mmCIF file of all heavy atoms in Angstrom:
data_model
loop_
_atom_site.group_PDB
_atom_site.id
_atom_site.type_symbol
_atom_site.label_atom_id
_atom_site.label_comp_id
_atom_site.label_asym_id
_atom_site.label_seq_id
_atom_site.Cartn_x
_atom_site.Cartn_y
_atom_site.Cartn_z
ATOM 1 N N THR F 1362 13.976 -24.424 10.900
ATOM 2 C CA THR F 1362 14.089 -24.463 9.454
ATOM 3 C C THR F 1362 15.561 -24.454 9.059
ATOM 4 O O THR F 1362 15.991 -25.153 8.176
ATOM 5 C CB THR F 1362 13.420 -23.218 8.851
ATOM 6 O OG1 THR F 1362 12.155 -23.079 9.462
ATOM 7 C CG2 THR F 1362 13.266 -23.345 7.357
ATOM 8 N N HIS F 1366 17.572 -27.522 6.585
ATOM 9 C CA HIS F 1366 18.112 -27.446 5.240
ATOM 10 C C HIS F 1366 18.770 -26.128 4.863
ATOM 11 O O HIS F 1366 18.744 -25.729 3.714
ATOM 12 C CB HIS F 1366 17.090 -27.880 4.198
ATOM 13 C CG HIS F 1366 15.839 -27.095 4.253
ATOM 14 N ND1 HIS F 1366 14.787 -27.445 5.030
ATOM 15 C CD2 HIS F 1366 15.470 -25.981 3.598
ATOM 16 C CE1 HIS F 1366 13.817 -26.592 4.858
ATOM 17 N NE2 HIS F 1366 14.204 -25.691 4.004
ATOM 18 N N GLY F 1368 18.398 -23.087 4.892
ATOM 19 C CA GLY F 1368 17.752 -21.999 4.172
ATOM 20 C C GLY F 1368 16.464 -21.628 4.869
ATOM 21 O O GLY F 1368 16.195 -22.100 5.971
ATOM 22 N N THR F 1369 15.696 -20.799 4.245
ATOM 23 C CA THR F 1369 14.421 -20.380 4.802
ATOM 24 C C THR F 1369 13.334 -20.691 3.795
ATOM 25 O O THR F 1369 13.484 -20.377 2.617
ATOM 26 C CB THR F 1369 14.449 -18.869 5.087
ATOM 27 O OG1 THR F 1369 15.611 -18.568 5.854
ATOM 28 C CG2 THR F 1369 13.215 -18.449 5.858
ATOM 29 N N ASP F 1370 12.259 -21.332 4.256
ATOM 30 C CA ASP F 1370 11.145 -21.637 3.353
ATOM 31 C C ASP F 1370 10.016 -20.637 3.537
ATOM 32 O O ASP F 1370 9.630 -20.342 4.662
ATOM 33 C CB ASP F 1370 10.594 -23.040 3.645
ATOM 34 C CG ASP F 1370 11.492 -24.115 3.059
ATOM 35 O OD1 ASP F 1370 12.286 -23.787 2.165
ATOM 36 O OD2 ASP F 1370 11.384 -25.267 3.510
ATOM 37 N N TYR F 1371 9.525 -20.145 2.427
ATOM 38 C CA TYR F 1371 8.384 -19.237 2.454
ATOM 39 C C TYR F 1371 7.218 -19.919 1.759
ATOM 40 O O TYR F 1371 7.235 -20.077 0.538
ATOM 41 C CB TYR F 1371 8.688 -17.944 1.702
ATOM 42 C CG TYR F 1371 9.670 -17.054 2.412
ATOM 43 C CD1 TYR F 1371 11.037 -17.243 2.264
ATOM 44 C CD2 TYR F 1371 9.228 -16.019 3.226
ATOM 45 C CE1 TYR F 1371 11.939 -16.421 2.910
ATOM 46 C CE2 TYR F 1371 10.127 -15.193 3.875
ATOM 47 C CZ TYR F 1371 11.479 -15.399 3.718
ATOM 48 O OH TYR F 1371 12.368 -14.581 4.360
ATOM 49 N N HIS F 1414 12.822 -23.738 -6.374
ATOM 50 C CA HIS F 1414 11.475 -24.312 -6.611
ATOM 51 C C HIS F 1414 10.568 -23.399 -7.428
ATOM 52 O O HIS F 1414 9.342 -23.505 -7.356
ATOM 53 C CB HIS F 1414 10.766 -24.671 -5.287
ATOM 54 C CG HIS F 1414 11.575 -25.480 -4.325
ATOM 55 N ND1 HIS F 1414 12.286 -26.591 -4.709
ATOM 56 C CD2 HIS F 1414 11.794 -25.328 -2.992
ATOM 57 C CE1 HIS F 1414 12.915 -27.090 -3.642
ATOM 58 N NE2 HIS F 1414 12.632 -26.340 -2.602
ATOM 59 N N TRP F 1440 12.463 -30.843 -5.497
ATOM 60 C CA TRP F 1440 11.963 -31.581 -4.331
ATOM 61 C C TRP F 1440 11.153 -30.657 -3.436
ATOM 62 O O TRP F 1440 11.652 -30.118 -2.459
ATOM 63 C CB TRP F 1440 13.120 -32.184 -3.531
ATOM 64 C CG TRP F 1440 13.988 -33.100 -4.336
ATOM 65 C CD1 TRP F 1440 13.612 -33.775 -5.461
ATOM 66 C CD2 TRP F 1440 15.351 -33.420 -4.109
ATOM 67 N NE1 TRP F 1440 14.660 -34.504 -5.943
ATOM 68 C CE2 TRP F 1440 15.744 -34.308 -5.129
ATOM 69 C CE3 TRP F 1440 16.281 -33.037 -3.133
ATOM 70 C CZ2 TRP F 1440 17.029 -34.813 -5.207
ATOM 71 C CZ3 TRP F 1440 17.552 -33.549 -3.210
ATOM 72 C CH2 TRP F 1440 17.931 -34.437 -4.241
ATOM 73 N N HIS F 1445 6.258 -23.297 -2.503
ATOM 74 C CA HIS F 1445 6.994 -22.450 -1.563
ATOM 75 C C HIS F 1445 8.289 -21.985 -2.198
ATOM 76 O O HIS F 1445 8.734 -22.526 -3.205
ATOM 77 C CB HIS F 1445 7.251 -23.178 -0.237
ATOM 78 C CG HIS F 1445 8.359 -24.196 -0.285
ATOM 79 N ND1 HIS F 1445 8.195 -25.440 -0.838
ATOM 80 C CD2 HIS F 1445 9.643 -24.143 0.157
ATOM 81 C CE1 HIS F 1445 9.340 -26.116 -0.727
ATOM 82 N NE2 HIS F 1445 10.229 -25.351 -0.132
ATOM 83 N N LEU F 1446 8.851 -20.955 -1.608
ATOM 84 C CA LEU F 1446 10.149 -20.482 -2.048
ATOM 85 C C LEU F 1446 11.192 -20.933 -1.030
ATOM 86 O O LEU F 1446 11.031 -20.718 0.170
ATOM 87 C CB LEU F 1446 10.165 -18.950 -2.130
ATOM 88 C CG LEU F 1446 11.538 -18.351 -2.471
ATOM 89 C CD1 LEU F 1446 11.902 -18.607 -3.924
ATOM 90 C CD2 LEU F 1446 11.578 -16.868 -2.167
ATOM 91 N N HIS F 1447 12.236 -21.576 -1.507
ATOM 92 C CA HIS F 1447 13.372 -21.910 -0.650
ATOM 93 C C HIS F 1447 14.430 -20.852 -0.927
ATOM 94 O O HIS F 1447 14.865 -20.664 -2.057
ATOM 95 C CB HIS F 1447 13.881 -23.320 -0.998
ATOM 96 C CG HIS F 1447 15.169 -23.668 -0.346
ATOM 97 N ND1 HIS F 1447 15.240 -24.391 0.811
ATOM 98 C CD2 HIS F 1447 16.453 -23.375 -0.693
ATOM 99 C CE1 HIS F 1447 16.522 -24.538 1.153
ATOM 100 N NE2 HIS F 1447 17.264 -23.935 0.252
ATOM 101 N N TYR F 1448 14.807 -20.126 0.114
ATOM 102 C CA TYR F 1448 15.741 -19.007 -0.020
ATOM 103 C C TYR F 1448 16.992 -19.266 0.797
ATOM 104 O O TYR F 1448 16.909 -19.685 1.949
ATOM 105 C CB TYR F 1448 15.046 -17.736 0.481
ATOM 106 C CG TYR F 1448 15.918 -16.507 0.537
ATOM 107 C CD1 TYR F 1448 16.437 -15.952 -0.630
ATOM 108 C CD2 TYR F 1448 16.193 -15.874 1.743
ATOM 109 C CE1 TYR F 1448 17.224 -14.803 -0.583
ATOM 110 C CE2 TYR F 1448 16.972 -14.725 1.803
ATOM 111 C CZ TYR F 1448 17.488 -14.193 0.638
ATOM 112 O OH TYR F 1448 18.262 -13.064 0.688
ATOM 113 N N GLU F 1449 18.143 -19.067 0.182
ATOM 114 C CA GLU F 1449 19.409 -19.224 0.902
ATOM 115 C C GLU F 1449 20.239 -17.967 0.781
ATOM 116 O O GLU F 1449 20.274 -17.335 -0.277
ATOM 117 C CB GLU F 1449 20.241 -20.374 0.287
ATOM 118 C CG GLU F 1449 19.810 -21.744 0.724
ATOM 119 C CD GLU F 1449 20.597 -22.815 -0.001
ATOM 120 O OE1 GLU F 1449 21.806 -22.604 -0.299
ATOM 121 O OE2 GLU F 1449 19.996 -23.872 -0.295
HETATM 122 ZN ZN1 ZN K 233 13.597 -25.332 1.694
#
Side-chain angles (χ1 to χ4, degrees):
T1362 312
H1366 57 271
T1369 309
D1370 282 341
Y1371 289 85
H1414 310 313
W1440 302 336
H1445 77 282
L1446 175 72
H1447 170 97
Y1448 174 65
E1449 280 176 34

